[in-house]
Amino acid sequence: MHPTNEISQQAEAKRLNQSCSCVTLDRPAVAQDIAHQLGEGAEDILSSEAWHQLFSNVAVFVPDQDLAKMQALVRALEAAAALSDYREKVLSWAPSTARLDPGPAGAFMGYDFHLGDDGPRLIEINTNAGGAFLNAILVRAQKRCCGGATNELWTEDFDREVIRQFESEWRAQRGSRRLETIAIVDDQPEEQYLYPEFRLAQRLLQRGGIETHILSPKDFQLNNGVLYGNGKRIDLVYNRLVDFGLEAPDHATLRAAWSVGGAVITPNPHIHALFANKRNLAVLSDQTTLREWGLSAENAELLRQSIPRTQLVDAANGEELWRQRRQLFFKPVAGHGSKGVYKGSKLTKSAFARILESDYIAQTYVPPSERLVMVDDEREMLKVDVRLYTYRGELLLAAARLYRGQTTNFRTPGGGFAPVLLKQT
């Protein structure tokens, strides 16, 4: 694409995001879809306070060349993760459970981006990325708006591709035998904020002919090397735990099943270690080292352009990081859900001292773009990030999240998940 067209696309997408106030979400259509899928069980979800905070009323406009760059970056990351030297490096700081590789590639990989005038910047990689099933509902309930020629961005048949994804994970470890049972697993799943999507995932998989249960780790038993949940043999575990290495005492049965191949687990400790350990960003943003390890010049340059420079925090570079703090964002290596993160410009000396005593990375701060929303008839500008849900490097669905504050959340009036609309020339 000609550079002038790229600038034109970005300018038009930015103008729409900051001026278009169209309400595109058809909330009655969402409720009808949920009720159709969940039947009598839908009422508890639709009446909960959390449900009304999950979805924003607006869509987010993204230049199509930004989407192309994000997809290219995902493919470059897959290429980097295949390098033997890269694997040796990142597995050196991973838990011992991560060294086992039975074959699965990881269901619902999630790549989070901030978009700016210089294109998309990768902020984080997630191996248990939530929200895909909710966003599939969301994208089906959109009205047209003033943005003109736009396209909702998701796979043509989401339900079919989800089934194929889990069947592919199963075959990667088990071969041709039929996948019969799946357990969707999280700690106290009914108390999780995104529990509604566990229910949606369960129904989707059951419609595809796969018996599906929503379980907590305490519901499992390992008998003769085979995983059971509430007395039922479990073929595959759709893992939504944030104990990425399965190291917690409460997860001992799952860890044992993982170590002996008692069930297919996806995503699993090995995939998290290759992609989502936050320390890895320090390697992935180091173009020189990646080139020495055999990554192509094109992919190495793309990673350099798209991943903010990331450093491991330790006492040796503490003074320099403190001086540079206003340009940095600090994240705990073992953190999740935006817990324990600090924007450097707001960092106190006492907080920084705690960071030095802990396990953190420092990432060059990339400001998010903004989206106009109407809240109680008042204009509000909310921050935006964009997530790509992928499988084996291929796009399943793209979505945005709107929020106010330091990091994404589902507590902001007018915020929540939003569909991505492509702005084309």
Side-chain angles (χ1 to χ4, degrees), residues 365-379:
Y365 177 65
V366 178
S369 57
E370 293 183 317
R371 179 66 170 100
L372 171 71
V373 299
M374 301 298 293
V375 181
D376 296 329
D377 296 324
E378 296 290 332
R379 296 166 64 89

Side-chain angles (χ1 to χ4, degrees), residues 71-96:
Q71 291 179 285
L73 177 64
V74 169
R75 292 190 289 270
L77 288 164
E78 294 267 346
L83 299 172
S84 59
D85 287 329
Y86 171 85
R87 287 174 172 251
E88 181 179 352
K89 178 65 176 179
V90 301
L91 289 174
S92 72
W93 51 47
S96 58

Side-chain angles (χ1 to χ4, degrees), residues 116-133:
D117 294 339
D118 295 328
R121 296 291 182 271
L122 180 75
I123 304 303
E124 196 162 278
I125 304 174
N126 298 279
T127 51
N128 65 345
F133 296 91

